[in-house]
Amino acid sequence: MNSSAGASGPAKIRIRHLQDAMRAGRPFSMLTSYDQYSAQAFERAGIEVLLVGDSAGTTVLGHDSTVHTTHEDIRVFTAAVARSVTRPLIVADLAFGTYQAGPSDAIRHGVDLVRAGAEAVKLEGGHEIVPQVTALVQAGIPVMGHLGFTPQSVNALSGHRVQGRDHQAADRLADDALALQEAGAFALVLELVPSSLAQRITEVLSIPTIGIGAGPHCDGQVLVWQDMAGLSGFEGKFVRRFAHLREELERAAREYRGAVEGREYPGPEHSFD
Ligand code: KIV
């Protein structure tokens, strides 16, 4: 894989390319995306994986938790991203409540997301969702797992907290990771776990791990794009801002307003005869 899309490397990122990258020790990048322009910018930047995450509920739709993001929300955003790019692998989240009841629910919603343009689905949980993962994989739908802090369980986990800090919890997480791999998951997101635990899991698994607040040892990294680009204002310890879009957008809007109020915009060059 390459640092700029289209220069060389595969024209289309497939699961096997992530596995090749892992074997070669080449870290890869995943960003969330929910719309045309962000998806196209990330494709041009060479981002390998776009995640249509249920974080859309909190970053786009104004909810305070991903439990409010619906399957329909994700379906619409997935279709928008899929229409907009060709190269990145597109992964879509199964929304809270669309797979917990059992494998047939998971397949029904997974099929729907694939029809919308997803090339894989992500779901949260460990041993308890192994039947769903197995069923999805058997149905031909690639599955990305998600362990550690799992935002759909924010209430059960008593808020946003680093997971797997003590020995027992760390062992449980490592067991869950192996169970997901055994069930056929092709990659695993590790969110908010100590970096030593992420390293241990990464070393034990033969599928790529993708970290978010999980330190530097994972095979890939993921961030919510509005955090990465400084649009959200979120200041989690694990986030590095690579731009300051919030300030830039505000500046542009203020300047626009000033130009309108000062009758400086639109000018003759923006007007029709
Ligand atoms: O929905 C999302 O954005 C995610 C990432 C935090 C991994 O699941």
Side-chain angles (χ1 to χ4, degrees), residues 53 61 65 179 195 209 226 257:
L61 300 176
S65 157
S195 56
T209 57
Q226 293 92 340
R257 181 182 143 219

Coordinates of all heavy atoms in Angstrom, one line a residue, residues 53 61 65 179 195 209 226 257:
G53 N -19.1 4.4 10.5 CA -19.3 4.0 11.9 C -20.6 4.5 12.5 O -21.2 5.4 12.0
L61 N -25.4 13.4 13.6 CA -26.8 13.5 13.9 C -27.1 14.2 15.2 O -28.3 14.4 15.5 CB -27.5 12.2 13.8 CG -27.3 11.5 12.4 CD1 -27.9 10.1 12.4 CD2 -28.0 12.3 11.3
S65 N -25.0 9.5 22.2 CA -24.5 8.2 22.3 C -24.8 7.4 21.0 O -25.8 7.6 20.3 CB -25.1 7.5 23.5 OG -25.1 6.1 23.3
A179 N -11.5 -15.8 20.2 CA -12.8 -16.4 19.8 C -13.3 -15.7 18.6 O -13.8 -16.4 17.7 CB -13.8 -16.2 21.0
S195 N -1.8 -0.1 26.1 CA -1.0 -0.5 24.9 C -0.3 -1.9 25.1 O -0.1 -2.6 24.1 CB 0.0 0.6 24.5 OG 0.8 0.9 25.6
T209 N -4.9 -6.2 13.9 CA -5.6 -5.4 14.9 C -5.6 -3.9 14.5 O -4.6 -3.5 13.8 CB -5.0 -5.5 16.3 OG1 -3.6 -5.1 16.2 CG2 -5.0 -6.9 16.8
Q226 N -13.7 13.5 12.3 CA -13.9 14.9 12.9 C -13.0 15.1 14.1 O -12.6 16.3 14.4 CB -15.4 15.1 13.3 CG -16.3 15.1 12.1 CD -16.9 13.8 11.8 OE1 -16.4 12.7 12.2 NE2 -18.0 13.7 11.1
R257 N -20.1 36.1 6.5 CA -21.1 37.0 7.0 C -20.7 38.5 6.9 O -21.5 39.4 6.6 CB -21.3 36.6 8.5 CG -22.4 37.4 9.2 CD -22.5 37.1 10.7 NE -22.7 38.3 11.4 CZ -22.2 38.5 12.6 NH1 -21.4 37.7 13.2 NH2 -22.5 39.6 13.2

